[in-house]
Amino acid sequence: MSEHRRKPPPQQGGGRAAARRSQSGRRATPRGASHAPSASFASEGEERPYGGRAEARRAAKGGRRRAADHGAGHGAGAGGGRRGGGGGTEGGRGRGRGREPEKKRFIDYPRAGKYGWRRFVPSWKQVTGTCLGFFGLLLATAGIGLAMVDIPDPQKTAQVQKNVYYWSDNTQMVIAGGGDKNRQIIDYEEIPKSMQDAVVAAENATFWEDNGVDPMGIARAVFNMAMGGSTQSGSTITQQYVKNTYLSQEQTLKRKFTELLISVKVGGVKEKEEILAGYLNTAYYGRGAYGIEAAARAYYNKPALELSTTESAFLAATLNGPNLYDPAGGQGPGASAKENTERATNRWKFALRRMVEIGKLDQSERQEILAKGFPEPDKPKPATNKAGQIGYLTDLADNYIIANTTISRTKLDQGGYKIHTTFDKKKMAALTKAVEKVEDANIDPKKRPETDKYVQFGGASVEPKTGKIKAIYGGSDATVHFTNNADYTGVQVGSTFKPFVLSAAMEYGIRDPDLPPEQNEQQRTIVSPKSIYDGDNKLKVKNYDGSIWRNEKDEEWHQRNDGDESKGDIDLRTAMQFSTNTPYIQLAMDVGLDKVRQTAEAAGIKKDNLPGWRSPSFALGTSAPSAIRLAGAYATYAASGKQADPYSVESIESRDGEVWNHDSVAKVKQGIPADVADNVTDVLRTVIQEGTGTTAKPVDAQWPAAGKTGTTDGNRSAWFAGYTRQLSTAIGMFRVDDQAKNQKFLEMYGTGDQESIHGASFPAEIWTEYMLSAMKGKSPQQFPEPSELGTIVGEPTPTPTPTPTETEQEESPDPTPTTEAPPETPDPDPTTTCRPLDWECRQNENGGNENGGNENGGPGDPGGGQPTTESPPEEGETEGNDNGGSWFGNN
């Protein structure tokens, strides 16, 4: 047999049985046994002290954990040292063949050595370790987030505020503009201490000590949102400030986590005072009020700085949910006035109690406040809007600001300005009342829809010497009628323009037909109001040199008078008194239409309101200045020629202080020579005392007054403009459907159940009604005595001028002039002005601008916007009608 297959020799230690005996921990031989080798083994050479193999296995199993040398030591008694050593060897082998112990796990779960349900119950070490690991991970994540996130720029909507407009007496007129939120940001110092303490006590008592977050509050909010429960906002003032200023109002986990990170960062870099002021200036208090200043005015009609402790406690209560805490009631079920009052009262008491608890209010003071009872706020006022005349006023002020200051439309819309206007509250009310009184008494669209529908009135009142716009009437309601009738409308002014013709004649003089053109400018003749002109009807209009003026079609111009009446030779005072056309259209031709335009500009009419100046009809009022500009120009004569552009804003303030004041740009200049202006005033006084304007005599009886009527051809508009030394007012009337796509002026024959409308009728009635109220309490001021001025041109005929009848004293339109055999022609569309609200026309004609163009559309104008320049017609081009006649009237 191969050596490699030979059985190994039996071991000396007794073989496997001996090894098993060693493992069992029993001695190799029983006590008292012989040490002779033959006595120690069975016939197969194996010791069997336990009576069989099965018993030996049991013994081996029971002694598995005993050491091998333990068995070997006990086996040495029978076999000697060698045999004992053999027993030790067998014991070692027996241990090596037994079951290995389990290795220790890093995470002992399910738990070893436990059976049944106990294997799945974590130990306290595991629970503690898990919690520490979670919070460690959370802190690490927060740390990374804080390192990565920056404090964003404040939301633009959080900075949008309302603009506050004030009357001329500095009482609040309206809060408007600046987006859809009623918000006024004030400094921390302007917030009363009681309000600060009340909010901190009721909302976040640890505000001054915490780091900007409430971990428990955040966890509660996150858990509720994650579980689909009710959404919750941040519970600290810092978190609310962050949400209002930097974030949206959505309730999501992402927004909440972002809010947390930014709040921690804001709490670390911003002062507590800044955070508290920011919160109080952005929080919503109900009644449309964002910020404590707006809330103080909405609930108690006072600035925030004047709030008492009890009022502050109530306003702090509204922050908990203004819809449910406004005593006037809210929207939805459970928000009745009764329930809201009960909730507000309890919350008010809670705020006061908390103020005591945090040491911000004495208990005795709290008891006194409670004894006085709940601080009932004012009843809610209708939502602030632009109804009535308010919209016209604020728009006028806004346009002026944009045109005359460095404040852009964007900045103005962003809000936060306190705008002090020139508007007089009492005069505004008086003008509105006067218009409504005359309109209600005479205009009835239901009864006379064909004649009384679409009647419009517009008016303005300007202070002489300063240009302050004291009152306007823009229309029935700014939320319904969108065009400001006090501003540019395209309505021609008729014979209210004649004073500028007379003024030009007395300042520049008429040209001498016998001199060559180059000498006429140096040798003009100043004209006296006593100068005589031909007042006959259908007079041929001539150039200054005596030649017949012809239009572009080579047609003559035959000017008509009211009722086709001839007045014969008549002086300029009388012609103004009864608004006779022919003397003034010829006077303008003798002076030069360019000089007439220059005079109108010097008085205050804007250049872009003076189109068509090359046509003779220009002298009779083809131009269309607004009521504001007409009143301002007449104010120049009231102030003895001192001209000041009409303006509507005195000063502007922001939270940083005053940013603009009209005094810095105010310009009062001598627009018209004083002696000329005083002579014009003297002539216009005759109009009220004995002429077409006698409707206004009640005013002149108390305060010396001067004025002029005006009516246009086709009875499409009527005006009365006049002034005292202290106040200048212009009133216009016309008919136009401002909602129509294609707008046009409508005739006013039969309007108000009258045959026709003249400046001496409804406009003069409104002017008189208003001025009697506006001038009440003012002492009369006499106009300066006019000096003798100019040369009497022309020679009167011995035939005296007939005394006009009552009908003649009513000013009437300037009929269309005709040729010798006038054909029947319809009234042409004017080419010199555009229809009201016809923005496309106004833009094409005058350059246009975003504010609608002409009147008050340029720097210095109340309406703002950029000025436009009209290109004058080429030499020889006219701007009258096709037959050389005027579409515009005289009185």
Side-chain angles (χ1 to χ4, degrees):
M1 181 179 293
S2 170
E3 183 180 3
H4 296 288
R5 298 174 57 112
R6 187 180 302 145
K7 274 179 100 172
Q11 298 181 10
Q12 295 292 327
R16 295 179 181 174
R20 286 196 291 270
R21 286 194 296 272
S22 299
Q23 290 180 355
S24 66
R26 296 182 182 273
R27 293 182 176 88
T29 57
R31 296 179 183 228
S34 174
H35 289 276
S38 60
S40 304
F41 296 91
S43 60
E44 294 83 30
E46 182 177 354
E47 187 178 8
R48 297 178 183 271
Y50 298 104
R53 294 181 179 178
E55 190 175 14
R57 284 196 296 271
R58 287 195 295 273
K61 182 177 181 181
R64 189 173 293 163
R65 289 192 177 92
R66 295 192 178 100
D69 57 342
H70 190 103
H74 287 283
R82 179 179 178 186
R83 204 171 157 192
T89 302
E90 287 298 317
R93 289 180 181 176
R95 183 183 62 181
R97 290 175 181 240
R99 186 174 178 182
E100 296 284 345
E102 296 185 11
K103 294 182 179 180
K104 187 176 182 179
R105 292 180 291 175
F106 181 74
I107 299 177
D108 186 23
Y109 189 85
R111 297 171 65 191
K114 299 292 183 181
Y115 300 95
W117 60 271
R118 291 182 177 84
R119 284 173 58 81
F120 300 95
V121 177
S123 67
W124 67 270
K125 293 181 180 180
Q126 290 174 330
V127 172
T128 303
T130 300
C131 292
L132 291 176
F134 173 76
F135 284 110
L137 179 62
L138 185 63
L139 289 175
T141 303
I144 295 172
L146 284 173
M148 295 180 63
V149 73
D150 291 324
I151 299 176
D153 293 331
Q155 292 187 97
K156 290 183 178 180
T157 55
Q159 296 178 321
V160 170
Q161 309 170 60
K162 288 293 184 179
N163 294 320
V164 185
Y165 297 79
Y166 296 90
W167 296 103
S168 59
D169 62 359
N170 286 324
T171 59
Q172 184 173 298
M173 177 173 68
V174 67
I175 301 175
D180 59 352
K181 293 181 178 180
N182 177 11
R183 175 184 288 144
Q184 300 160 255
I185 296 177
I186 58 177
D187 293 328
Y188 177 79
E189 293 74 16
E190 297 179 81
I191 301 173
K193 189 66 166 58
S194 62
M195 187 66 201
Q196 299 174 30
D197 293 339
V199 171
V200 169
E203 297 285 318
N204 183 192
T206 62
F207 169 74
W208 296 105
E209 294 81 30
D210 65 35
N211 60 359
V213 296
D214 177 6
M216 293 303 296
I218 291 293
R220 182 174 58 253
V222 171
F223 178 79
N224 285 344
M225 286 188 287
M227 298 301 293
S230 60
T231 58
Q232 296 185 7
S233 61
S235 58
T236 68
I237 288 175
T238 302
Q239 287 175 261
Q240 292 283 20
Y241 165 70
V242 167
K243 182 178 67 174
N244 294 341
T245 306
Y246 302 108
L247 303 174
S248 66
Q249 299 298 310
E250 63 179 347
Q251 294 285 352
T252 63
L253 283 171
K254 178 182 178 182
R255 205 275 299 158
K256 196 70 182 176
F257 186 68
T258 305
E259 175 191 307
L260 170 64
L261 296 179
I262 297 176
S263 296
V264 173
K265 209 149 194 177
V266 166
V269 300
K270 289 185 179 290
E271 297 293 334
K272 289 290 188 179
E273 290 80 2
E274 182 181 356
I275 294 173
L276 182 58
Y279 172 59
L280 293 175
N281 276 320
T282 56
Y284 181 57
Y285 296 77
R287 298 192 179 185
Y290 288 81
I292 183 59
E293 179 71 11
R297 293 187 180 277
Y299 285 96
Y300 294 109
N301 194 29
K302 62 173 63 173
L305 195 57
E306 297 179 9
L307 289 172
S308 64
T309 300
T310 182
E311 292 166 344
S312 295
F314 163 71
L315 291 179
T318 64
L319 294 172
N320 202 45
N323 187 62
L324 298 176
Y325 288 85
D326 184 348
Q331 297 179 348
S336 66
K338 180 180 179 180
E339 292 172 306
N340 277 16
T341 300
E342 182 178 350
R343 274 189 292 266
T345 302
N346 291 334
R347 185 72 178 176
W348 164 72
K349 291 179 179 178
F350 165 77
L352 291 172
R353 176 171 59 82
R354 291 290 293 149
M355 290 175 71
V356 173
E357 291 175 357
I358 67 173
K360 299 298 183 181
L361 184 69
D362 293 335
Q363 179 63 33
S364 59
E365 186 178 354
R366 174 177 177 266
Q367 292 300 326
E368 291 179 6
I369 293 174
L370 292 175
K372 293 179 181 178
F374 179 70
E376 194 71 37
D378 298 342
K379 296 296 182 183
K381 297 178 181 178
T384 301
N385 52 41
K386 295 188 175 184
Q389 300 300 304
I390 296 299
Y392 303 127
L393 296 176
T394 58
D395 287 349
L396 202 63
D398 287 350
N399 291 336
Y400 180 84
I401 291 170
I402 294 167
N404 294 277
T405 75
T406 58
I407 300 174
S408 65
R409 169 60 70 180
T410 300
K411 289 183 178 179
L412 189 62
D413 287 344
Q414 195 172 358
Y417 294 104
K418 294 180 179 180
I419 300 170
H420 298 268
T421 73
T422 61
F423 306 128
D424 186 295
K425 181 164 50 179
K426 293 182 178 180
K427 288 182 173 61
M428 276 295 305
L431 182 54
T432 301
K433 183 178 179 181
V435 173
E436 292 176 348
K437 179 179 179 180
V438 172
E439 185 174 20
D440 292 345
N442 298 281
I443 308 301
D444 192 342
K446 294 182 179 179
K447 184 178 180 180
R448 296 180 294 272
E450 295 299 320
T451 59
D452 287 16
K453 198 173 182 180
Y454 308 128
V455 171
Q456 303 283 348
F457 293 95
S461 197
V462 175
E463 184 177 82
K465 296 183 181 180
T466 66
K468 295 178 181 179
I469 303 173
K470 306 304 290 184
I472 65 167
Y473 183 83
S476 58
D477 191 319
T479 62
V480 178
H481 174 69
F482 305 113
T483 300
N484 186 350
N485 292 344
D487 207 332
Y488 179 81
T489 57
V491 178
Q492 293 75 34
V493 295
S495 284
T496 56
F497 196 79
K498 286 177 182 174
F500 306 124
V501 178
L502 178 60
S503 183
M506 289 191 290
E507 180 178 358
Y508 298 107
I510 60 175
R511 293 168 288 185
D512 188 341
D514 297 329
L515 293 176
E518 59 272 12
Q519 295 184 19
N520 274 319
E521 293 303 319
Q522 288 78 29
Q523 300 185 33
R524 287 172 172 261
T525 301
I526 301 301
V527 173
S528 165
K530 299 177 182 179
S531 296
I532 305 299
Y533 268 78
D534 190 346
D536 284 342
N537 186 47
K538 297 181 180 179
L539 192 69
K540 290 183 180 181
V541 176
K542 300 177 181 179
N543 294 309
Y544 80 93
D545 60 3
S547 61
I548 303 299
W549 186 91
R550 296 176 181 274
N551 64 15
E552 70 278 7
K553 295 182 180 181
D554 200 34
E555 296 171 332
E556 296 180 354
W557 185 298
H558 291 213
Q559 182 61 52
R560 295 173 58 186
N561 286 328
D562 172 32
D564 289 337
E565 292 182 350
S566 292
K567 301 287 187 174
D569 290 338
I570 188 174
D571 64 49
L572 294 176
R573 177 185 294 273
T574 305
M576 184 75 76
Q577 179 181 349
F578 300 112
S579 204
T580 306
N581 292 330
T582 50
Y584 275 93
I585 197 169
Q586 188 57 57
L587 177 64
M589 297 300 290
D590 292 347
V591 173
L593 296 173
D594 59 333
K595 296 297 183 183
V596 175
R597 182 182 69 166
Q598 187 174 334
T599 299
E601 287 184 49
I605 304 296
K606 298 301 293 182
K607 184 176 182 178
D608 54 329
N609 294 154
L610 299 170
W613 63 272
R614 294 179 183 273
S615 172
S617 63
F618 177 69
L620 303 180
T622 62
S623 55
S626 70
I628 292 173
R629 278 291 162 183
L630 187 58
Y634 271 49
T636 299
Y637 293 100
S640 296
K642 294 186 182 296
Q643 190 271 329
D645 281 335
Y647 71 97
S648 55
V649 178
E650 290 281 13
S651 63
I652 307 168
E653 299 174 31
S654 71
R655 61 180 303 182
D656 298 323
E658 187 173 85
V659 297
W660 185 87
N661 193 295
H662 181 266
D663 291 341
S664 63
V665 297
K667 294 181 180 179
V668 178
K669 59 186 178 182
Q670 192 69 42
I672 304 294
D675 53 352
V676 172
D678 293 340
N679 270 275
V680 170
T681 295
D682 187 62
V683 171
L684 294 182
R685 293 205 66 196
T686 308
V687 174
I688 290 179
Q689 293 171 344
E690 302 174 5
T692 58
T694 53
T695 303
K697 285 183 73 174
V699 176
D700 183 67
Q702 300 183 56
W703 306 274
K708 183 70 183 75
T709 56
T711 306
T712 58
D713 183 49
N715 209 212
R716 291 178 174 87
S717 65
W719 289 84
F720 188 86
Y723 52 90
T724 64
R725 191 72 169 166
Q726 299 102 316
L727 198 62
S728 176
T729 304
I731 304 294
M733 177 181 176
F734 54 96
R735 285 184 69 213
V736 65
D737 179 6
D738 63 335
Q739 305 297 323
K741 184 176 181 180
N742 297 316
Q743 296 171 17
K744 61 179 181 179
F745 294 115
L746 305 174
E747 295 179 343
M748 292 190 291
Y749 295 115
T751 297
D753 203 26
Q754 296 197 9
E755 183 178 346
S756 60
I757 300 298
H758 303 283
S761 57
F762 300 149
E765 290 179 25
I766 293 172
W767 186 93
T768 303
E769 184 77 21
Y770 163 69
M771 291 292 282
L772 287 173
S773 177
M775 292 295 297
K776 186 176 295 184
K778 295 186 179 296
S779 58
Q781 293 185 14
Q782 299 296 327
F783 292 110
E785 285 293 327
S787 59
E788 290 290 334
L789 184 66
T791 302
I792 299 176
V793 177
E795 295 182 0
T797 60
T799 304
T801 301
T803 301
T805 62
E806 182 179 352
T807 302
E808 289 174 328
Q809 290 183 7
E810 287 188 354
E811 45 83 33
S812 60
D814 172 27
T816 303
T818 62
T819 57
E820 289 296 330
E824 193 69 21
T825 58
D827 293 325
D829 290 332
T831 60
T832 57
T833 57
C834 300
R835 305 299 186 183
L837 296 179
D838 189 350
W839 307 123
E840 180 179 358
C841 168
R842 289 162 65 180
Q843 290 170 351
N844 291 339
E845 178 185 355
N846 295 310
N849 56 66
E850 65 179 0
N851 294 313
N854 293 324
E855 174 55 29
N856 301 319
D861 291 355
Q866 297 301 315
T868 59
T869 303
E870 177 181 327
S871 300
E874 298 297 330
E875 190 67 34
E877 180 183 355
T878 65
E879 301 185 36
N881 62 17
D882 290 342
N883 198 33
S886 174
W887 187 113
F888 306 95
N890 81 338
N891 302 58

